[in-house]
Amino acid sequence: FAAVTHDKVLGLLLGGALGDALGAPFEGRPSVDAADLAAEERAPSRLVHTDDTALTLALAEHLAQRRDAERLDVDALALEFARAWRAEPWRGYGSGTPHVFGLINAGVPWTEASRATFQGQGSYGNGAAMRVAPVALVADSLHHAAELGQRSGEPTHSHKHGQHGAACQAAAAYLALHSDPAHPLDRTRFLQDLARAVRSRPWHEKFDRATELTRNGAGPKHTAHALGNDASALGSVPTALTAFLTHPDDTTQTIRYAIQTGGDADTIAAMAGALAGARNGASTLSRGLISRLEAADQLHHLADQLAGHPRNPTVTS
Ligand code: R7I
Ligand code: MG
Ligand code: MG
Ligand code: MG
């Protein structure tokens, strides 16, 4: 296990935001041309984030204010998410989540609001997973990360696959954060650890397929075909994991691979980017790209707060 440095904390936050903002123009495209992506990377324009980062910021602020992981206050968090949506409803939210947020803002308890979508079965979308990575910064074990992830997902995603997606991405972020980039990542071990944290057969089947894809060096199109690239948790979280496990030591390549899976490109890249950023640190990211990020200052400030969190006593700068 490696020390959780300030660089790793910042890397988790910036890597996620970069994946989101760079992937956003490609969201919904069945496939993404490498030349189009390269042009986006070279463009001088500001990198505007979407709902993925907007809600990640809300969660990170929630955690930074409390300074105690046991005080993840889901009632307060539900209101904070709903207010973030109301302040910026144009950020590209999914179809079900705004309905939940509207109810919460109207005073309906989240326990009820989160069950109002999709004919009462609740959302199995990836919206709980896309925002969850910061919980890894305050978790003190793999299982704690998964549990915090699941709980942070409940206000909007009452379907078990939506919650398991959040648990899976939170646990993966924890493992990436505590992995030592000076040593090669043991991919098989990583997925075995995840399978202990997410006890669900359809997820285990995805982990088995991801193990095979990374072993065979599958490209993004193949991975999208085998694992999915849609806005469901099961159809995107394992795809993001595969992007990371294919290029665990290179955050830029992880993000490029994730975007090139197409489909829900911003979200797959946000999740993959958070994992790679947590492992490799912010110092390995392109300064040019980071300086274009709309939320760069806010994320730097949050990293300062979360790196000083009592859960991260070993932090060094
Ligand atoms: O999960 P959620 O917040 O979506 C996040 C996505 C990301 O791509 C963001 O970048 C943003 O674009 O949206 O929003 P939901 O609307 O709850 O779920 C996302 C999608 O999953 C929905 O639009 C549905 O297509 C699908 N979905 C379901 N379909 C049928 N039945 C989610 N749950 C169900 C369901 O129960
Ligand atoms: Mg989005
Ligand atoms: Mg969308
Ligand atoms: Mg998306």
Side-chain angles (χ1 to χ4, degrees):
F1 271 165
V4 178
T5 58
H6 183 281
D7 190 44
K8 277 172 151 279
V9 173
L10 184 60
L12 177 145
L13 295 171
L14 290 177
L18 184 58
D20 174 25
L22 206 53
F26 303 101
E27 190 187 36
R29 291 201 200 172
S31 70
V32 174
D33 198 46
D36 289 348
L37 177 52
E40 194 65 32
E41 287 183 34
R42 280 194 311 269
S45 54
R46 201 160 69 132
L47 285 166
V48 178
H49 63 255
T50 78
D51 57 329
D52 305 47
T53 301
L55 294 182
T56 303
L57 287 167
L59 178 54
E61 269 154 24
H62 180 92
L63 298 170
Q65 276 160 21
R66 272 162 189 82
R67 306 187 67 81
D68 181 348
E70 301 315 322
R71 286 170 56 201
L72 179 86
D73 179 343
V74 182
D75 296 335
L77 185 62
L79 290 171
E80 287 156 21
F81 284 152
R83 282 179 195 137
W85 166 74
R86 187 169 55 193
E88 300 177 325
W90 47 267
R91 288 267 183 208
Y93 284 84
S95 62
T97 310
H99 183 64
V100 176
F101 289 151
L103 291 173
I104 291 172
N105 283 329
V108 176
W110 63 261
T111 44
E112 207 177 301
S114 64
R115 281 173 176 75
T117 47
F118 303 107
Q119 291 86 42
Q121 71 163 345
S123 173
Y124 54 62
N126 55 20
M130 73 186 184
R131 68 189 182 215
V132 82
V135 306
L137 304 175
V138 304
D140 50 21
S141 72
L142 177 65
H143 286 92
H144 191 211
E147 184 216 315
L148 288 173
Q150 167 135 355
R151 283 174 53 211
S152 76
E154 287 170 359
T156 47
H157 290 70
S158 64
H159 194 290
K160 67 175 192 289
H161 288 334
Q163 293 179 10
H164 282 149
C168 178
Q169 170 68 4
Y174 181 88
L175 291 171
L177 186 69
H178 291 271
S179 74
D180 186 349
H183 297 285
L185 188 72
D186 184 340
R187 300 168 166 97
T188 306
R189 172 83 190 274
F190 191 99
L191 287 161
Q192 282 168 351
D193 286 342
L194 273 190
R196 286 194 292 113
V198 185
R199 298 186 169 277
S200 162
R201 179 184 291 251
W203 287 88
H204 288 194
E205 283 167 6
K206 291 278 186 168
F207 297 155
D208 289 344
R209 238 176 288 169
T211 304
E212 227 174 273
L213 289 162
T214 48
R215 193 172 290 147
N216 298 337
K221 279 185 183 167
H222 184 177
T223 293
H225 185 74
L227 292 176
N229 65 358
D230 58 43
S232 70
L234 260 176
S236 59
V237 178
T239 306
L241 265 172
T242 303
F244 167 59
L245 294 175
T246 301
H247 295 291
D249 301 317
D250 186 334
T251 307
T252 306
Q253 290 296 2
T254 294
I255 290 174
R256 286 181 184 143
Y257 184 110
I259 292 173
Q260 287 181 91
T261 64
D264 197 358
D266 64 329
T267 303
I268 295 167
M271 295 189 290
L275 301 182
R279 173 166 164 82
N280 300 307
S283 54
T284 67
L285 291 167
S286 149
R287 276 173 194 243
L289 287 174
I290 294 309
S291 69
R292 287 168 53 201
L293 275 180
E294 183 188 6
D297 288 348
Q298 222 179 327
L299 292 163
H300 273 93
H301 183 64
L302 281 163
D304 293 346
Q305 291 177 278
L306 287 163
H309 195 280
R311 299 277 164 175
N312 295 323
T314 56
V315 160
T316 53
S317 42

